[in-house]
Amino acid sequence: MRAKKIWNSIYISLVLLLLVTFLYRHYKLNQDISYNKKIEEDIKRETVILNDKIKSLNYDLENSNSLEFVEKQARKQGMIKPREIQILDLDKDKEE
């Protein structure tokens, strides 16, 4: 009779140990899945941003021989046309 109680205790202990192990692994797996989904969303967002940048660069590349594009790039670098007067609006920063 006493041996049967010992075997029942061992059996219950093993089942509980297996259950706790399973639940812990399940919890860790869910954490990993959540982390991977977050990374996937970040990568998708970054992909959209990079694709937009690629489209913009391809557009600039296609139009790089046009005079408008050359003038736009020159103005970004602070260049002006001959006999052109550059006016700086100092109050512009105060309004914003």
Side-chain angles (χ1 to χ4, degrees), residues 35-89:
Y35 178 73
N36 288 337
K37 283 182 180 179
K38 181 180 178 283
I39 288 178
E40 182 182 12
E41 289 173 6
D42 291 345
I43 289 173
K44 284 181 181 179
R45 208 173 305 118
E46 200 171 318
T47 301
V48 168
I49 291 169
L50 290 175
N51 281 334
D52 289 344
K53 192 170 186 176
I54 288 171
K55 287 178 186 177
S56 173
L57 290 172
N58 282 333
Y59 176 79
D60 288 347
L61 181 63
E62 289 172 4
N63 296 318
S64 63
N65 291 331
S66 70
L67 292 176
E68 292 84 16
F69 180 81
V70 173
E71 182 178 344
K72 179 181 170 185
Q73 295 303 315
R75 290 194 182 276
K76 281 184 182 179
Q77 295 178 10
M79 297 180 183
I80 58 174
K81 292 180 181 180
R83 294 183 301 270
E84 185 177 53
I85 300 172
Q86 187 175 18
I87 299 174
L88 300 176
D89 187 6

Side-chain angles (χ1 to χ4, degrees), residues 21 27 93:
T21 304
Y27 172 75
D93 293 333

